[in-house]
Amino acid sequence: QAKAAGRGNFQLYDPQLDRANVRDLVLGEEIRTALAERQFELHYQPVIDVATGVAVGFEALIRWQHPERSWIAPNEFIDYAEKHRLIEKIDRYVLRQALQQMCIWRANTGTAPKVSVNISGRHFASPEFINTVLSLLEEFEIPPNTLGIEITERAVIDKFAIAQNNIQILQKHHIRVLLDDFGTGYSSLNYLHQLTLDVLKIDRTFVKGSRGNQQENPIINSIVALAAAMNLTVVAEGVETEEELKVLQAAGCDLCQGYYFSKALPAEQAIQYFLEHQTAIVGI
Ligand code: C2E
Ligand code: MG
Ligand code: MG
Ligand code: MG
């Protein structure tokens, strides 16, 4: 870009690039501080049984309560953390936080909601990931079948053999593995076929704005049918309207989550929601 400015008009540096670098450096430092000072918090979005309206558990979603700014959304720092080798630290923090919370809920309410945690692909496909999960489960005495690990297609594809192996090890320990954002990005049926997953999560892009009958929603219906044929549970993300819910019910989708039911809530409110949604609603 300095060249583009023309001869005799040299720019020593591109101020825009410089600003980006400074922001990056600051972000890295801030993430380290946030981990040390426990500024990250998990919120829990209820996961609902489509047919009955019963809450079956939660997806844990990270929230950053920065002391000087208002909260920062994961999209603003997860990518950075993945690039700069901070994601392992964040993932471990999140796992510990979620399992500790599950332990508290169990002690206080006698219930064991299922909780799924998002794990970055790079971290998932690493040898030490399994040990981290197993030792935390043991530390908090959590029944392994109440924990789910959400990974994306991207994660799986980058290091296929290790990912495939780790999926199998987790399942041998009865930990569920969920494929997140299904249908976006790579979605190779060949990969899907070679993985022993438990759950497919239909990305919100396919749910958004859906209405009407089955012929009018071929993608949702196809993904649900595919999941059924492969013996996988299917979860729809980002349900915001009654029309969308009706489409999912007609398709035979198992579970869903979205603002129509609830956004991600702080732990206290989340367990309250869970306890209040244990009875089936007829004709939901
Ligand atoms: P995701 O795993 O696909 O999570 C779903 C995102 O959709 C969440 O955004 C959630 O708040 C949002 N959402 C849920 N229901 C609705 C709805 O009805 N409408 C709309 N418009 N949005 C809805 P969030 O919390 O901002 O997270 C964004 C992404 O960041 C997540 O996508 C996930 O990939 C990543 N992420 C979140 N928490 C963690 C974490 O603890 N660790 C890692 N590695 N990644 C995380
Ligand atoms: Mg997720
Ligand atoms: Mg998702
Ligand atoms: Mg998504």
Side-chain angles (χ1 to χ4, degrees), residues 45 59 61-63 74-75 78 87 91 94 118-120 150 180-181 204 237-240 258-259:
Q45 183 171 42
E59 176 178 8
L61 294 159
I62 195 169
R63 299 290 178 259
N75 291 335
I78 292 292
I87 196 68
D91 283 350
V94 165
N118 295 281
I119 294 295
S120 138
E150 298 198 6
D180 207 350
D181 302 338
R204 187 174 101 81
E237 305 188 303
V239 181
E240 293 186 354
Y259 299 163

Side-chain angles (χ1 to χ4, degrees), residues 155-171:
V156 175
I157 285 158
D158 283 349
K159 286 187 175 167
F160 192 74
I162 303 176
Q164 192 182 33
N165 194 39
N166 279 358
I167 290 173
Q168 283 171 6
I169 298 172
L170 290 176
Q171 289 169 331

Side-chain angles (χ1 to χ4, degrees), residues 229-242:
M230 295 182 77
N231 234 330
L232 303 175
T233 299
V234 59
V235 183
E237 305 188 303
V239 181
E240 293 186 354
T241 68
E242 196 179 344

Side-chain angles (χ1 to χ4, degrees), residues 151-223:
I151 54 174
T152 60
E153 297 167 78
R154 166 96 217 201
V156 175
I157 285 158
D158 283 349
K159 286 187 175 167
F160 192 74
I162 303 176
Q164 192 182 33
N165 194 39
N166 279 358
I167 290 173
Q168 283 171 6
I169 298 172
L170 290 176
Q171 289 169 331
K172 231 180 276 159
H173 289 90
H174 309 287
I175 301 160
R176 283 166 303 119
V177 181
L178 297 75
L179 190 62
D180 207 350
D181 302 338
F182 182 71
T184 62
Y186 296 77
S187 304
S188 160
L189 294 179
N190 184 38
Y191 285 117
L192 195 59
H193 173 69
Q194 291 178 63
L195 297 170
T196 52
L197 298 159
D198 300 285
V199 181
L200 273 193
K201 297 190 74 169
I202 307 179
D203 194 71
R204 187 174 101 81
T205 30
F206 304 113
V207 175
K208 195 177 154 83
S210 60
R211 52 169 68 240
N213 63 28
Q214 299 208 350
Q215 280 85 47
E216 289 168 287
N217 297 281
I219 301 205
I220 288 178
N221 279 279
S222 303
I223 299 178

Side-chain angles (χ1 to χ4, degrees), residues 42-46 58 262-271 273:
L42 289 183
H43 283 193
Y44 300 87
Q45 183 171 42
F58 305 103
S262 173
K263 61 178 184 153
L265 302 166
E268 281 285 297
Q269 282 167 254
I271 194 66
Y273 184 100

